[in-house]
Amino acid sequence: MALTKVSYSMIDAAPINVADYGATGDGTTDDTVAIQAAFDAVSATGGTVVFEPGKTYMINGGYQPIQSIFGGVKPKSRTVIQGNNAKLKVITSSAIGYCILNVIETSGVVINDLYIEGDVGRHIGTTGEFGHGLMIMSSDNVVLNNLFITLCWGDAVLFSEYTRVNGNVDVDVINCEFVDCRRQGVSVVDLTNGTFTGCTFRNIGGTAATSPAAGVDLEPDYPLAQASNIDFVGCTFNNNNSHGFIAGSSVNLVENIRIIGCSFYGNGASAITANSIGTTPKMKNVFEIIGCDIKGQVLVDNCKIIGGQIILEEIYTNSRYAIESVADLPFQMIGTSVFVTGTRRAAFIGGATSESSRKLVQNCKFNQDGNTLTDLDQWAAMGGFITLDNCQMTRTGAAPATGYNFQGAADFTGFDAKMVNCYLDPKLAIGFAQDGLMVRVAQRGWVSAAPTTGAHIVGEIVLNSAPASAGFIGWVCTVAGTPGTWRTFGLIS
């Protein structure tokens, strides 16, 4: 009796090998139809599709056997793809858009250990921005584990939604790398309840860049789209052409986003930009940055920064301030260290015009070594409804000649700025103004005598530029006037 070879796909519920459906993986043959046939063979109750280790499967990114929005191969619901580090590689074309692996209108898809490669460097055309390695649309309960996606004409991954029939919900992305793509590492047009853990977003837009060229972009710009309840944990954003991370929309809300324990360095425009666009604020609830190691500028609205450090070095020529928050929206920074060098600027925090949008800076340190700026307006401008509590600001080098350290409109007229238990290097305590919780300093710098000119109000103080034993710390205005009545205070033992 002759023996007959039995393939895994002939055994009920056994893994389906794409080779059983004619996929060669030789790096030359178009394997699109064969792989699609393997995907189609998965039972409605679910199954596993297996790729051969070390092989390269060529994919027609414009192939559209089911939906006509994007091409590529399309797994069914409850499919587990075991990539075994095989490669899906798009067939070169001049198309302005393509998709290699297309997860559309599915539930429960899991993709493990797969390499996906676009055609940057060999693309025939020069226009378009929609060549995606992986697209996820109207899908839920998706897991991406240990993927490497590179050289895509558009995005490594696009979470898309043009009609929001269901939206994308509950997605876990684990230990994935998104590298050297032309437009974005990951674009999120629509995603609710997503977690990115241990992922890397690097060198996006390094070759043939098209804007925004960011590691991650949350952009819910289509009708009914949303980006909400998304965490980035232990991820790395580095050497991207523009932003490491950018979020914002003039159409829909970006809300409840957390960046936890991540690192940012070498990004061209900013490390993190997350601000409202247009006249109606779209950054809802709290955008949280927790325990991150950041090199580069952070520009945020309606945000809470907790712990970690922000370093802005001279090499970041496209960034002015280490931290910037100027919209009339709440902002908190707690326990964060800020270091700036050269002519980079420490902070620009202002814009709050009411108690409801008060900005809080608490237990933070600001340090600049070798500062060459002569105007403190450019070094640290803070004003409006803001509270600085238990903060330190230090600086090496010469004192600046002019400028305010903390400021509001017309020296805080109509504003409510508070400083409590703070330490300022004497070179920085120039021209800051406070309400009744703290002192008011009307003069720019230390003086040798009480003011004899100008209008002053009760509570203003000036500090003695030459304190000595048995002398006084300074003078305080006890009766408003021009120049008012001044009394010494602070006997020095």
Side-chain angles (χ1 to χ4, degrees):
M1 180 177 67
L3 297 177
T4 301
K5 179 181 178 182
V6 179
S7 71
Y8 282 116
S9 61
M10 296 170 65
I11 304 173
D12 186 38
I16 296 171
N17 193 312
V18 294
D20 292 338
Y21 290 82
T24 66
D26 62 7
T28 302
T29 303
D30 184 346
D31 287 323
T32 310
V33 174
I35 292 172
Q36 188 62 58
F39 284 159
D40 292 344
V42 172
S43 166
T45 59
T48 300
V49 175
V50 178
F51 289 86
E52 298 281 347
K55 291 197 172 184
T56 297
Y57 300 88
M58 302 303 295
I59 304 296
N60 179 352
Y63 178 68
Q64 299 170 347
I66 305 173
Q67 291 85 5
S68 60
I69 297 174
F70 279 96
V73 288
K74 301 176 174 68
K76 295 164 62 176
S77 289
R78 290 167 288 281
T79 296
V80 176
I81 299 174
Q82 293 292 0
N84 293 315
N85 296 315
K87 180 187 294 184
L88 301 186
K89 184 175 181 179
V90 75
I91 296 171
T92 301
S93 73
S94 61
I96 62 172
Y98 57 75
C99 183
I100 301 172
L101 183 56
N102 196 340
V103 179
I104 181 170
E105 297 180 353
T106 65
S107 179
V109 170
V110 178
I111 307 173
N112 296 317
D113 305 313
L114 192 62
Y115 192 119
I116 299 175
E117 182 178 311
D119 63 353
V120 169
R122 53 191 179 91
H123 193 77
I124 298 172
T126 59
T127 61
E129 56 179 301
F130 299 112
H132 308 310
L134 170 62
M135 188 174 78
I136 299 175
M137 180 174 179
S138 298
S139 296
D140 64 81
N141 293 292
V142 176
V143 177
L144 310 178
N145 180 50
N146 198 31
L147 307 187
F148 187 94
I149 305 180
T150 188
L151 297 175
C152 297
W153 192 246
D155 306 336
V157 181
L158 170 63
F159 290 88
S160 182
E161 189 53 71
Y162 297 101
T163 59
R164 193 170 174 80
V165 176
N166 298 305
N168 298 307
V169 182
D170 296 327
V171 177
D172 287 325
V173 185
I174 307 162
N175 296 332
C176 295
E177 294 187 64
F178 311 105
V179 183
D180 285 315
C181 293
R182 181 168 169 264
R183 181 177 181 268
Q184 312 269 44
V186 170
S187 289
V188 176
V189 174
D190 187 282
L191 176 60
T192 300
N193 301 336
T195 301
F196 293 77
T197 305
C199 296
T200 299
F201 310 87
R202 61 182 169 89
N203 202 35
I204 302 302
T207 303
T210 187
S211 180
V216 169
D217 187 358
L218 307 187
E219 47 175 351
D221 291 336
Y222 288 96
L224 304 180
Q226 63 185 50
S228 62
N229 302 324
I230 305 173
D231 290 348
F232 295 83
V233 183
C235 297
T236 300
F237 303 76
N238 66 284
N239 297 326
N240 298 296
N241 182 276
S242 62
H243 309 276
F245 186 104
I246 185 171
S249 173
S250 61
V251 180
N252 298 305
L253 293 173
V254 176
E255 56 183 331
N256 298 328
I257 310 298
R258 298 193 302 172
I259 303 175
I260 305 170
C262 296
S263 64
F264 297 78
Y265 61 91
N267 299 291
S270 70
I272 301 173
T273 293
N275 53 355
S276 289
I277 301 172
T279 56
T280 302
K282 297 296 182 181
M283 301 301 296
K284 187 178 179 181
N285 299 332
V286 176
F287 189 107
E288 294 185 329
I289 302 170
I290 304 171
C292 292
D293 183 6
I294 301 171
K295 291 186 177 180
Q297 178 172 266
V298 177
L299 171 60
V300 288
D301 296 332
N302 205 8
C303 178
K304 180 185 289 184
I305 302 174
I306 302 174
Q309 65 178 5
I310 303 171
I311 300 173
L312 184 58
E313 301 170 300
E314 195 71 9
I315 60 173
Y316 291 95
T317 57
N318 291 327
S319 300
R320 296 183 61 195
Y321 291 96
I323 176 70
E324 185 170 352
S325 179
V326 295
D328 194 8
L329 292 168
F331 169 84
Q332 294 183 30
M333 185 162 69
I334 302 171
T336 303
S337 296
V338 178
F339 302 90
V340 286
T341 64
T343 61
R344 300 305 98 193
R345 297 149 167 82
F348 185 8
I349 303 173
T353 61
S354 66
E355 192 64 41
S356 62
S357 57
R358 173 175 291 279
K359 303 193 175 187
L360 171 65
V361 182
Q362 186 176 47
N363 300 328
C364 293
K365 296 180 180 179
F366 299 84
N367 176 270
Q368 181 157 5
D369 292 332
N371 186 299
T372 58
L373 294 173
T374 59
D375 186 342
L376 275 176
D377 279 355
Q378 300 176 22
W379 191 80
M382 302 187 188
F385 280 74
I386 184 170
T387 297
L388 283 87
D389 182 7
N390 197 34
C391 294
Q392 297 182 27
M393 302 189 73
T394 60
R395 162 184 168 137
T396 61
T402 62
Y404 290 108
N405 193 278
F406 303 102
Q407 63 177 7
D411 300 339
F412 287 91
T413 301
F415 286 83
D416 186 5
K418 303 174 183 178
M419 181 185 293
V420 183
N421 300 323
C422 293
Y423 169 78
L424 282 77
D425 185 294
K427 293 187 292 293
L428 297 175
I430 297 177
F432 64 89
Q434 297 300 319
D435 68 0
L437 292 181
M438 189 61 183
V439 297
R440 289 185 176 274
V441 177
Q443 303 301 308
R444 294 189 175 189
W446 273 243
V447 296
S448 59
T452 57
T453 60
H456 301 280
I457 62 176
V458 173
E460 291 185 12
I461 71 168
V462 291
L463 301 180
N464 191 346
S465 61
S469 177
F472 296 91
I473 293 174
W475 295 264
V476 59
C477 182
T478 58
V479 178
T482 306
T485 301
W486 291 82
R487 296 286 185 262
T488 56
F489 74 92
L491 177 65
I492 301 172
S493 62

